[in-house]
């Protein structure tokens, strides 16, 4: 099976993950995770993002109930509204120093539902 079929990518933006793997390595060359790209992928446990990535879109990982870890590479500049909303099992999320913009509608909404994160 060609892993590239798992990723819907247009002009460097991952618009949808179509695969079924629990552990996902987003291909190098992807510069943006689009809005709702991983939305409600209920089997997803870990995601590693490439060094080429610059932006994580609105609701990118919304509702990924068992997602435990997202490895955000240095180079990401922007994380958009509710990117991790409803990721109840998220235990590890390291925001690199390169991030200079996090879009939120309220402080409480930034990581809404991420009850497993250490403070």
């Amino acid at each position: 099976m060609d892993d590239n079929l798992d990723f819907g990518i247009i002009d460097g933006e991952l618009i949808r993950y179509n695969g079924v793997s629990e552990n996902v390595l987003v291909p190098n060359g992807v510069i943006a995770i689009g809005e709702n790209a991983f939305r409600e992928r209920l089997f997803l446990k870990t995601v590693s993002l490439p060094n080429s990535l610059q932006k994580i879109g609105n609701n990118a990982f919304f509702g990924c109930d068992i997602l435990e870890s997202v490895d955000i590479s240095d180079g990401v500049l922007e994380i958009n509204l509710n990117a991790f909303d409803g990721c109840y099992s998220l235990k590890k999320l390291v925001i690199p120093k390169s991030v200079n913009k996090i879009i939120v509608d309220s402080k409480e909404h930034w990581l809404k539902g991420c009850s497993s994160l250490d403070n």
Side-chain angles (χ1 to χ4, degrees), residues 72-85:
I72 300 176
S73 58
D74 198 29
V76 172
L77 303 173
E78 181 177 322
I79 300 174
N80 282 296
L81 193 63
N82 303 329
F84 301 98
D85 192 353

Side-chain angles (χ1 to χ4, degrees), residues 17-103:
Y17 175 66
N18 299 308
V20 295
S21 179
E22 291 181 348
N23 306 300
V24 175
L25 176 61
V26 174
N28 199 28
V30 170
I31 58 172
I33 303 297
E35 184 172 332
N36 299 308
F38 287 93
R39 185 181 184 113
E40 297 177 343
R41 304 310 282 179
L42 302 178
F43 48 81
L44 195 60
K45 286 191 177 180
T46 67
V47 176
S48 293
L49 301 173
N51 291 332
S52 57
L53 193 71
Q54 298 173 13
K55 177 182 173 184
I56 299 174
N58 295 348
N59 301 307
F61 296 94
F62 180 92
C64 292
D65 294 352
I66 67 168
L67 182 63
E68 296 177 358
S69 172
V70 179
D71 182 15
I72 300 176
S73 58
D74 198 29
V76 172
L77 303 173
E78 181 177 322
I79 300 174
N80 282 296
L81 193 63
N82 303 329
F84 301 98
D85 192 353
C87 296
Y88 303 108
S89 299
L90 193 60
K91 296 175 186 171
K92 180 185 173 203
L93 180 67
V94 177
I95 308 297
K97 292 179 182 179
S98 60
V99 173
N100 59 30
K101 185 177 188 180
I102 297 176
I103 299 173

Side-chain angles (χ1 to χ4, degrees), residues 1-10 14-19 24-30:
M1 176 188 224
D2 184 0
D3 287 339
N4 290 331
L5 297 177
D6 291 346
F7 301 95
I9 301 170
I10 298 175
L14 174 62
I15 58 168
R16 185 71 179 159
Y17 175 66
N18 299 308
V24 175
L25 176 61
V26 174
N28 199 28
V30 170

Side-chain angles (χ1 to χ4, degrees), residues 101-116:
K101 185 177 188 180
I102 297 176
I103 299 173
V104 297
D105 59 358
S106 71
K107 186 175 182 181
E108 296 78 30
H109 234 162
W110 158 221
L111 293 169
K112 182 179 178 184
C114 297
S115 55
S116 294

